[in-house]
Amino acid sequence: MTDMNMPDRWMDEGNLVDHLARQLLHGRLGLFLGAGVSMPFGLPSWMDLVRTVAEEAGETDLADDFEPTEKAGALKVKYFDGKDEDFNAAVSRALYKDRTLDFAEISQNKMLQAIGSLVMSSRRGSAAKVFTLNFDDLLELYLEFHGFTTSVIHDGCHWAQNEDVVIYHPHGYLPLGHDDASSEIVLGTSDFHNVMASDQWRPVIQTALRQHTFLYLGLSGKDMHLHSHWTGLSPVHAISGDRVCYHGVRFKVGDGEDDLEVLTRSWGIHTHELAEYSQLPDFLFKVCQRARELRMQPTS
């Protein structure tokens, strides 16, 4: 077994793949998904999503570098005060603008294929927990297309589920192919602060984070919701007893994140660098393939 109690061991991709494969094999791997997972399918970034909502409301002169969570909160108060259903409908229109359900296209999306490989039940293990900050239901549609049963949790107060894959949507759920949408979503600044202060989602997320090694996919590492959970997590995480350096892995492409890397490393998150984002699915497939190799090794 690869010793992962030294930071330099995490810098070697072979060691990292081996460690994550062992976590997958033992049911200790979790996934935290962001907008970058859905963008290859044509869905917008958070900034583009907010920009489209603003344009529909009549604001067409947004600066290129506007802050999306602050703007979303202002839009909600200015145009949708007390009208959550109308606001959600506007966000849903912006989210799925010019998109249609095409199962053939969904099934060919390489990122969804890689995530699906991790979460689909297998004797080489499967990702035990899946959280997404996205509103869409692309992953659910992909899994159902392949015959898997899914359960969506978008309310902090919920029963335990017994489906093939349970997907948690702590920021809300605005599906295109299903009927069970959230009554409230987290998009504006006040929404973020409310969900961070809530006693509903925090114990669910923190318990999962403390017991698994999470891969953060399609996330920049700047999300303040994640920061609130990462702070103080390392000393109470299961890794503390095993003297493992990091309890999670995020991915970046290119330079320019020095300060962010220092912060995430201090929170127990390793940053794995890719030459380009299109390499991420192949990395995930390597984890699955290595877990299979470990599962097939003789026991005697």
Side-chain angles (χ1 to χ4, degrees):
M1 180 175 179
T2 304
D3 184 359
M4 301 300 285
N5 64 356
M6 297 295 292
D8 62 340
R9 302 295 293 172
W10 292 75
M11 303 301 295
D12 181 272
E13 183 168 299
N15 292 337
L16 180 59
V17 167
D18 188 79
H19 173 69
L20 296 176
R22 293 180 187 277
Q23 296 297 80
L24 179 63
L25 184 62
H26 293 296
R28 297 173 181 169
L29 197 67
L31 304 180
F32 225 114
L33 312 179
V37 169
S38 300
M39 287 170 60
F41 186 72
L43 269 63
S45 66
W46 290 120
M47 183 168 284
D48 288 337
L49 177 68
V50 174
R51 185 186 299 277
T52 301
V53 174
E55 290 174 348
E56 183 181 298
E59 297 190 11
T60 59
D61 57 348
L62 294 184
D64 292 337
D65 59 348
F66 74 93
E67 208 295 311
T69 55
E70 292 180 5
K71 189 60 184 178
L75 290 170
K76 187 174 183 180
V77 171
K78 186 175 182 179
Y79 299 102
F80 304 94
D81 192 21
K83 301 176 181 178
D84 287 348
E85 186 174 339
D86 292 344
F87 179 70
N88 291 0
V91 174
S92 184
R93 287 193 297 272
L95 182 63
Y96 298 112
K97 185 179 181 181
D98 301 324
R99 296 302 307 168
T100 58
L101 283 178
D102 185 333
F103 286 106
E105 185 179 358
I106 291 173
S107 68
Q108 295 302 311
N109 184 285
K110 195 170 182 180
M111 178 61 75
L112 289 178
Q113 290 175 355
I115 293 173
S117 295
L118 286 168
V119 303
M120 290 177 179
S121 299
S122 170
R123 296 190 69 176
R124 55 93 176 111
S126 59
K129 293 290 183 181
V130 182
F131 291 88
T132 176
L133 301 184
N134 300 332
F135 304 136
D136 66 76
D137 59 342
L138 290 183
L139 179 56
E140 289 85 350
L141 291 170
Y142 178 86
L143 294 171
E144 290 165 11
F145 179 80
H146 288 85
F148 285 79
T149 64
T150 61
S151 180
V152 174
I153 304 296
H154 57 82
D155 189 326
C157 296
H158 57 267
W159 287 104
Q161 301 294 313
N162 189 31
E163 305 297 346
D164 292 325
V165 183
V166 179
I167 303 173
Y168 297 85
H169 286 257
H171 282 187
Y173 184 55
L174 299 176
L176 181 60
H178 301 83
D179 296 328
D180 185 24
S182 299
S183 59
E184 297 180 357
I185 61 173
V186 176
L187 188 58
T189 303
S190 61
D191 299 327
F192 279 92
H193 289 304
N194 287 338
V195 76
M196 283 190 283
S198 171
D199 289 332
Q200 293 185 8
W201 275 111
R202 179 168 290 276
V204 175
I205 296 174
Q206 289 195 328
T207 297
L209 292 181
R210 289 172 62 172
Q211 297 175 342
H212 300 81
T213 296
F214 267 83
L215 302 182
Y216 297 90
L217 310 177
L219 289 156
S220 69
K222 298 179 181 179
D223 188 276
M224 54 185 173
H225 190 180
L226 289 179
H227 294 179
S228 73
H229 292 294
W230 288 344
T231 302
L233 180 60
S234 292
V236 296
H237 194 283
I239 63 166
S240 61
D242 296 333
R243 298 179 62 216
V244 174
C245 288
Y246 305 112
H247 54 73
V249 179
R250 59 178 290 268
F251 300 85
K252 79 157 192 173
V253 177
D255 300 322
E257 291 191 340
D258 292 344
D259 291 342
L260 180 59
E261 286 184 47
V262 171
L263 283 174
T264 53
R265 189 166 61 246
S266 71
W267 286 322
I269 306 295
H270 170 69
T271 298
H272 181 65
E273 186 170 347
L274 301 169
E276 54 187 35
Y277 190 73
S278 60
Q279 293 179 336
L280 181 52
D282 289 331
F283 178 90
L284 301 179
F285 282 128
K286 288 179 183 178
V287 173
C288 292
Q289 292 157 3
R290 179 56 181 153
R292 176 195 171 277
E293 293 173 358
L294 293 171
R295 178 66 178 82
M296 296 299 292
Q297 288 179 354
T299 57
S300 58

